[in-house]
């Protein structure tokens, strides 16, 4: 694999995980020494900073996580709140009504 492919793999892993991923786990997945993974992470973090993207990678102790940039927190929060306020479909309401009527359900 090329260095660019390693960085792309790291990016894919962090994006898919959502939660922080230990450097050890990344090293095992990529079959690289931890130092090499840290180097690739540093390069990737620098690339995100230079491109002024809406996401970045942060280090949490010995783990890394892909997160949104603080600058866009109000827009992200607003979008997440909009998603929560979507009403239930008619079918979902009917299912909830049946469950409520037949309580207790196991």
């Amino acid at each position: 694999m090329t260095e660019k492919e390693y960085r792309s793999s790291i990016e894919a892993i962090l994006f898919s995980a959502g939660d922080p991923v230990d450097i050890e786990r990344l090293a095992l997945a990529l079959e690289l020494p931890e130092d090499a993974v840290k180097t690739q992470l540093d390069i990737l973090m620098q690339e995100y900073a230079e491109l002024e993207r809406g996401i970045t990678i942060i280090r949490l102790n010995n783990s890394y996580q892909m997160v949104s940039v603080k600058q866009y927190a109000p827009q992200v929060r607003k979008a997440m709140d909009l998603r929560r306020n979507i009403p239930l479909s008619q079918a979902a309401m009917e299912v909830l009504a049946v469950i409520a009527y037949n309580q207790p359900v196991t």
Side-chain angles (χ1 to χ4, degrees):
M1 251 198 258
T2 66
E3 287 191 6
K4 185 175 181 176
E5 289 174 325
Y6 281 122
R7 287 192 299 275
S8 295
S9 297
I10 291 169
E11 186 177 41
I13 292 167
L14 294 177
F15 177 79
S16 299
D19 294 325
V21 180
D22 290 336
I23 190 77
E24 299 162 0
R25 181 172 257 177
L26 288 169
L28 286 172
L30 298 172
E31 298 176 355
L32 285 175
E34 289 183 22
D35 291 341
V37 174
K38 285 181 184 177
T39 301
Q40 295 304 315
L41 277 161
D42 289 340
I43 294 169
L44 193 56
M45 292 166 73
Q46 184 176 359
E47 287 176 1
Y48 276 115
E50 289 173 359
L51 294 173
E52 297 180 5
R53 305 297 307 226
I55 56 174
T56 190
I57 297 172
I58 60 169
R59 182 177 178 185
L60 305 165
N61 295 326
N62 209 23
S63 300
Y64 291 84
Q65 184 176 14
M66 186 173 280
V67 298
S68 58
V69 177
K70 289 181 184 180
Q71 174 183 350
Y72 303 111
Q75 293 87 350
V76 171
R77 193 173 295 117
K78 186 175 181 180
M80 300 311 264
D81 285 342
L82 289 175
R83 192 174 69 178
R84 281 192 208 129
N85 293 333
I86 297 174
L88 294 174
S89 67
Q90 184 63 33
M93 288 297 285
E94 290 173 9
V95 169
L96 287 174
V98 168
I99 292 171
Y101 182 77
N102 292 319
Q103 285 291 329
V105 175
T106 58

